[in-house]
Amino acid sequence: SDVCSSDLTNWFFIAHALGNTAVILLPSEGEGLVAANWRAASVPALMDIASYIQLFAGIALAGAQTKSILYSSSLLWSAVLSKVLLGKVLSRAQWGSITLLFVGLAYKSLGGSKASLGDASSSFLLGVSLILAGCFTHALVNVKNEALIQKGTISPKILCVVIGIYALGMWFALYACGLIIPERAGQQWTWTRESFSFASLVVQDAAAGVPMRSGAAWLGFVFSTAVHAGAFFSRLGNVGTVSSGIVKGMTTSTDRKSVV
């Protein structure tokens, strides 16, 4: 499909940002968006943007299968960073759950990616490095978000929305300058807005047997991202990064099983 071909990374980045921003529609009590601590939220927002760019660039170089293997390392990073930065003490049962989930996800992923792991090219190794860096940054963002929420600096809902607004602002600022997040088409990299078309959302590209066009599917992805963001941020202040990450990892495991 047009939305999911030459400009996949940019559409996914926009969907992620829109999903976070759409959480503003959820009912809540407390601080408003205008009165929020935008300065405090800017640090995790910029780090979140960096993590997604690192992950997308790594996928372009090393492939989605490799990302699925390495992304489970975010659980371990979250546990370590929570202990170092927040002083959290995890029980043996929690460490055991994290280790078991990490090993299980890695084992399932390795089964379908032996060819990728055998690729020792410089671009593949660079992709692996970027994915690992993205996983670490993503875990650091979640720990920082948890700290802000627990200190009462900003509410979970508003933090989620502000991060989305920052991401949208950055992307459209780049677009106004004639740039987009670099995309890899074959062996060529593109980074100018001429290679990105908003018109692809309304293209009649539904394939035989597929119930919707890619544009409609993308809007559905935005909706699911909003639901995920709202639930995830609300849990950060209650159960913390590690427990939220374990549940997220269990969801990933279930999704992979259904795909396989």
Side-chain angles (χ1 to χ4, degrees), residues 27 43 50 74 132 139 166 177 180 202 215:
V43 175
S74 296
L132 287 174
Y166 271 120
C177 295
I180 58 172
V202 295

Side-chain angles (χ1 to χ4, degrees), residues 88-159:
K88 287 197 169 185
V89 178
L90 302 181
S91 65
R92 291 182 179 178
Q94 287 177 308
W95 280 113
S97 298
I98 293 170
T99 303
L100 181 62
L101 184 58
F102 173 75
V103 172
L105 287 171
Y107 177 77
K108 290 181 67 176
S109 300
L110 283 169
S113 58
K114 293 180 179 179
S116 296
L117 292 176
D119 186 350
S121 68
S122 58
S123 62
F124 177 80
L125 294 177
L126 176 59
V128 168
S129 299
L130 287 170
I131 292 173
L132 287 174
C135 291
F136 178 84
T137 306
H138 186 63
L140 185 58
V141 169
N142 289 335
V143 172
K144 179 64 176 176
N145 287 339
E146 180 183 349
L148 290 176
I149 293 170
Q150 291 187 344
K151 290 178 181 178
T153 305
I154 189 170
S155 68
K157 170 186 170 181
I158 297 300
L159 177 58

